[in-house]
Amino acid sequence: MAPNVAPHTTASGYLLTQRQSHLGTRSMAPAVFDRICIESFIYHASIMMLFEPSLDALSSIRQELDIPRYFSYVEKSEISLPVQPILQTSYDFFLSIADATKLARISRSLVDAEITLWCNTWLRLIQWDQVDHTDDASLKLYFTALQILLLKTAPDLLNEEKTLQISECLQDGLQIIVSLEPEQYASSYLLWPLAILGSISVSERERNAARDYIHMLIQSKRGGQAVWVQKRLDRVWNLTNFSANCPSSGMRLRGLQLLLDAT
């Protein structure tokens, strides 16, 4: 979460493109290491985009990395590789997070190529929801936050309709939060959806729900990234305070834009 996260993440991606993969060999340790490296890069490159406007490490090297090979190999392998120890769900889901974040940064109406990307990302999200039935509440929270990002730039919705649907997603997300046990997850993993929910919160009840959970992370993880995210949200809330009692006023969309702009 440091200011230099963008160059470090980008550099790790380019290093991976230069590394000779050990997939396809019978050497267990290097193959496992390769999988951990690619998953770690996908994870950090996608979720850290939310906090760093200049970070888009996946777009330029996605094809060069040949990401599907790392995951399809597991099904064909004669050795036992861990099944997504870092991502916990399909890598496509995290690629969708990167695409949705890239689209959500845009404050104007989408152009044709962007609309195509939006439609494809929304379709992937719906397909994931239909296929990946999980009892993991954190993934449901991620799904809700990802919906919010995509709704922000939905090409066929008026701002009033976007605000209404985003508000419904927020209420769903706040209900999920209370069921999460913070000690079961890495703090950065939970901070991604919490930051999105917090940025669109305008009432004291909504903001307190996000603040209270982040405070739990600060206590359990001894500060660090959770403190950094809370400070970012405090700045967003200070700039949207004057309309905190008007949920339909567009302050939800403005708060999310402020978060994405690293205001």
Side-chain angles (χ1 to χ4, degrees):
M1 214 67 85
N4 58 359
V5 63
H8 280 148
T9 305
T10 303
S12 68
Y14 279 108
L15 286 173
L16 281 172
T17 66
Q18 301 302 309
R19 176 175 168 78
Q20 169 114 25
S21 171
H22 289 82
L23 294 174
T25 71
R26 292 180 178 274
S27 182
M28 175 67 168
V32 171
F33 179 74
D34 284 349
R35 261 296 289 279
I36 291 174
C37 284
I38 198 69
E39 286 199 53
S40 180
F41 172 67
I42 292 171
Y43 171 76
H44 286 93
S46 59
I47 69 171
M48 292 302 173
M49 284 179 69
L50 180 71
F51 304 109
E52 176 50 66
S54 67
L55 179 57
D56 189 7
L58 275 166
S59 292
S60 60
I61 60 172
R62 188 181 295 189
Q63 297 302 320
E64 192 176 350
L65 281 174
D66 193 14
I67 294 172
R69 178 170 54 94
Y70 287 87
F71 297 91
S72 62
Y73 175 74
V74 175
E75 300 173 359
K76 305 172 185 177
S77 176
E78 294 181 5
I79 61 176
S80 177
L81 290 179
V83 179
Q84 301 185 202
I86 297 173
L87 298 182
Q88 303 300 333
T89 188
S90 66
Y91 71 89
D92 272 330
F93 185 74
F94 280 84
L95 297 182
S96 295
I97 287 175
D99 289 336
T101 305
K102 189 175 182 177
L103 290 167
R105 284 175 177 161
I106 301 171
S107 56
R108 52 167 171 76
S109 297
L110 302 183
V111 299
D112 288 348
E114 293 162 348
I115 291 174
T116 299
L117 177 60
W118 188 96
C119 292
N120 290 338
T121 307
W122 184 264
L123 180 60
R124 290 203 307 268
L125 180 63
I126 298 305
Q127 290 173 338
W128 179 88
D129 186 40
Q130 292 171 343
V131 173
D132 199 336
H133 298 288
T134 176
D135 294 328
D136 188 342
S138 71
L139 286 178
K140 295 177 183 176
L141 191 64
Y142 259 70
F143 175 79
T144 301
L146 186 46
Q147 277 185 298
I148 291 169
L149 287 182
L150 287 172
L151 284 169
K152 177 182 178 295
T153 51
D156 57 346
L157 293 179
L158 299 174
N159 278 348
E160 293 77 7
E161 296 171 311
K162 291 178 184 179
T163 300
L164 177 60
Q165 293 192 34
I166 285 174
S167 297
E168 292 173 351
C169 288
L170 172 62
Q171 304 314 315
D172 291 341
L174 294 179
Q175 289 182 3
I176 295 171
I177 285 177
V178 299
S179 67
L180 292 174
E181 298 293 336
E183 64 274 5
Q184 294 182 9
Y185 306 95
S187 59
S188 62
Y189 179 76
L190 293 178
L191 287 171
W192 185 84
L194 281 169
I196 293 174
L197 295 178
S199 71
I200 62 171
S201 296
V202 293
S203 72
E204 281 306 306
R205 178 188 66 83
E206 294 165 352
R207 291 179 177 182
N208 284 339
R211 185 187 291 111
D212 290 348
Y213 200 90
I214 293 174
H215 182 72
M216 287 175 60
L217 294 179
I218 292 172
Q219 295 299 312
S220 62
K221 308 295 182 181
R222 298 180 183 177
Q225 295 173 336
V227 172
W228 188 89
V229 169
Q230 184 59 65
K231 289 180 179 178
R232 177 74 68 87
L233 286 177
D234 286 339
R235 290 197 294 271
V236 170
W237 291 341
N238 285 337
L239 291 171
T240 55
N241 263 341
F242 66 92
S243 292
N245 294 321
C246 305
S248 61
S249 66
M251 285 298 105
R252 296 201 193 281
L253 290 172
R254 184 175 181 229
L256 182 53
Q257 188 69 57
L258 289 169
L259 175 70
L260 290 160
D261 292 342
T263 299

